[in-house]
């Protein structure tokens, strides 16, 4: 039994060195777009039918809380930005409000 555990640990370590991640991380499913949208809504705390203004306001509110100058981290700001971008991409194209850098 001990040999089996040692061999399994060695194989895991070799896999980590070769692939850059542990075997159980490699086998994990990647989230679908639907799951990513759900997680983005949950992170920004917006409803399923949120419009552009609501998404941008929620993003601004979240970034003001997790900004590195206020004790947050760069990773949290990047997650908030990714969530905002994903939710804005999911909105139906109305052609009325094009995305620009000055409203973000």
């Amino acid at each position: 039994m001990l040999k089996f555990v040692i061999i399994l640990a060695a194989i895991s370590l070799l896999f980590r060195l070769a692939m850059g991640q542990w075997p159980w991380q490699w086998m994990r499913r990647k989230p679908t777009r639907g799951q990513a949208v759900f997680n983005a809504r949950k992170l920004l705390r917006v409803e399923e039918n949120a419009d552009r203004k609501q998404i941008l306001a929620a993003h601004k509110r979240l970034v003001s809380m997790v900004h590195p100058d206020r004790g947050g981290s760069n990773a949290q700001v990047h997650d908030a930005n990714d969530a905002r971008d994903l939710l804005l991409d999911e909105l139906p194209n109305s052609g009325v409000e094009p995305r620009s850098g000055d409203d973000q």
Side-chain angles (χ1 to χ4, degrees):
M1 181 68 177
L2 184 61
K3 282 184 179 181
F4 177 72
V5 172
I6 292 172
I7 291 172
L8 190 60
I11 290 172
S12 296
L13 186 60
L14 289 174
F15 190 91
R16 167 78 176 174
L17 292 173
M19 302 297 281
Q21 56 188 357
W22 295 105
W24 51 88
Q25 292 172 326
W26 182 74
M27 293 184 316
R28 187 179 311 148
R29 286 186 173 187
K30 303 294 183 213
T32 64
R33 185 160 179 97
Q35 290 169 331
V37 169
F38 175 80
N39 290 336
R41 284 192 188 110
K42 186 176 171 184
L43 179 66
L44 293 181
R45 296 181 182 166
V46 295
E47 297 294 324
E48 187 172 340
N49 58 354
D51 64 358
R52 181 180 178 78
K53 285 184 180 183
Q54 291 170 329
I55 293 169
L56 292 175
H59 171 262
K60 187 175 183 178
R61 188 172 45 251
L62 178 61
V63 168
S64 70
M65 291 187 298
V66 299
H67 195 275
D69 291 344
R70 297 196 178 212
S73 68
N74 285 336
Q76 290 173 311
V77 174
H78 287 292
D79 289 344
N81 290 341
D82 291 342
R84 176 205 57 208
D85 293 341
L86 181 62
L87 292 179
L88 290 177
D89 287 344
E90 287 292 309
L91 290 176
N93 290 336
S94 62
V96 176
E97 298 176 336
R99 278 182 68 182
S100 63
D102 50 355
D103 64 347
Q104 296 178 3

